[in-house]
Amino acid sequence: ANMERIMKAQALRDTSTMGYMAAKKHLEINPDHNIVKALKEKVDADKNDKAAKDLVLLMFETALLASGFALEEPSIHANRIHRMIKLGLGIDEDEAVPETGEASTEDMPPLEGEDDDASRMEEVD
């Protein structure tokens, strides 16, 4: 993974040789692991389950990251994680998120020692 990252960072790299230099990725799955068994049951129950597909892709992308590889689309990975968090918390994905306007400072409590810091700065000058 490190050599692939170094080759991608080269300014004068030859794109025709990148195919040879790209690391071969092998994903080994333990079929006896509880997570894999549960995912298999979910997929057997419904082959079009979006949550199961997201979980499988999350496992793959997490394995890539743990091995030192970079994701091609990190934003897709982040969106997938957000969907899984919403699912885990029981939040409806189609539920509209309330828009928050500019944060008003009137609702914020004053910082502790704010006046003391200003006077200390004047003393230093």
Side-chain angles (χ1 to χ4, degrees):
N2 285 333
M3 188 62 183
E4 183 176 337
R5 191 172 28 249
I6 291 169
M7 292 301 295
K8 284 183 180 178
Q10 295 296 317
L12 301 173
R13 70 174 187 253
D14 183 13
T15 55
S16 63
T17 60
M18 279 306 292
Y20 299 112
M21 294 303 293
K24 301 220 189 245
K25 299 169 185 85
H26 299 277
L27 178 63
E28 295 180 10
I29 297 175
N30 179 1
D32 297 326
H33 197 280
N34 292 336
I35 294 173
V36 175
K37 286 180 179 179
L39 281 173
K40 172 116 174 63
E41 291 171 5
K42 272 184 92 84
V43 170
D44 287 344
D46 182 11
K47 292 196 184 299
N48 295 322
D49 187 4
K50 187 175 182 177
K53 289 179 183 180
D54 277 346
L55 286 170
V56 169
L57 288 169
L58 272 176
M59 283 181 56
F60 174 71
E61 291 169 346
T62 303
L64 281 176
L65 290 171
S67 299
F69 291 97
L71 297 176
E72 291 178 16
E73 297 284 339
S75 61
I76 293 174
H77 180 73
N79 289 337
R80 195 170 286 125
I81 289 174
H82 288 144
R83 277 197 305 271
M84 290 296 110
I85 291 171
K86 286 180 181 179
L87 182 68
L89 294 174
I91 299 172
D92 187 17
E93 191 172 326
D94 297 331
E95 191 174 296
V97 178
E99 290 292 324
T100 57
E102 291 293 321
S104 66
T105 56
E106 297 168 2
D107 297 339
M108 302 280 291
L111 294 174
E112 294 180 16
E114 185 176 358
D115 296 329
D116 296 339
D117 290 339
S119 63
R120 280 192 215 135
M121 287 303 291
E122 291 174 3
E123 291 173 10
V124 171
D125 290 339

